[in-house]
Amino acid sequence: MHRFNNKTILVKGASSGIGRSCAIRLAEEGAHLILVGRQEETLRAVVPDCNPHVLVCDLEKEVEVQQLVVRLKQEGTAITGWLLAAGVHALRPLLLESPGSLHDMLATNVF
């Protein structure tokens, strides 16, 4: 059963981990994929047989995210769904966190 036939899903953080695993499964289910991440070659290798639309973007850089949105609008891409799996983290005591590092983590992981 191909539950995602004729559906376009944008996968943020598709290069590795949960995002990669989900992209593979979505491709198996028939989805047309837009894969977003920092490394084009790595993204293309995730599901090479389904010819994904690959967009290189460093999601920690607001300017690049804004350019990504503009590009998607210009292309007129109708996106059926989003899978937001990009993530950054720091493994250190909370008392050592700065407002700037917390903002960066939330900006990438949540927004």
Side-chain angles (χ1 to χ4, degrees):
M1 181 171 150
H2 289 109
R3 296 180 291 173
F4 290 94
N5 279 345
N6 301 315
K7 307 286 187 213
T8 299
I9 310 294
L10 185 141
V11 182
K12 174 179 140 182
S15 301
S16 63
I18 294 170
R20 182 180 188 279
S21 296
C22 290
I24 291 168
R25 182 57 190 245
L26 287 164
E28 291 170 353
E29 293 285 342
H32 172 71
L33 298 176
I34 301 171
L35 304 180
V36 179
R38 288 181 281 212
Q39 300 172 344
E40 183 174 357
E41 296 81 25
T42 305
L43 291 169
R44 291 200 183 283
V46 172
V47 283
D49 297 335
C50 82
N51 192 28
H53 185 37
V54 171
L55 297 172
V56 177
C57 177
D58 185 341
L59 298 166
E60 292 184 59
K61 297 181 180 172
E62 188 174 340
V63 171
E64 289 189 31
V65 174
Q66 290 172 351
Q67 291 170 344
L68 173 69
V69 171
V70 168
R71 181 172 176 185
L72 288 168
K73 285 181 180 179
Q74 288 174 341
E75 291 175 357
T77 305
I79 298 172
T80 309
W82 300 73
L83 181 92
L84 307 177
V88 296
H89 70 283
L91 187 58
R92 60 181 165 253
L94 184 59
L95 293 175
L96 296 178
E97 287 294 337
S98 69
S101 67
L102 290 172
H103 176 270
D104 292 345
M105 277 192 281
L106 286 170
T108 302
N109 298 336
V110 179
F111 305 114

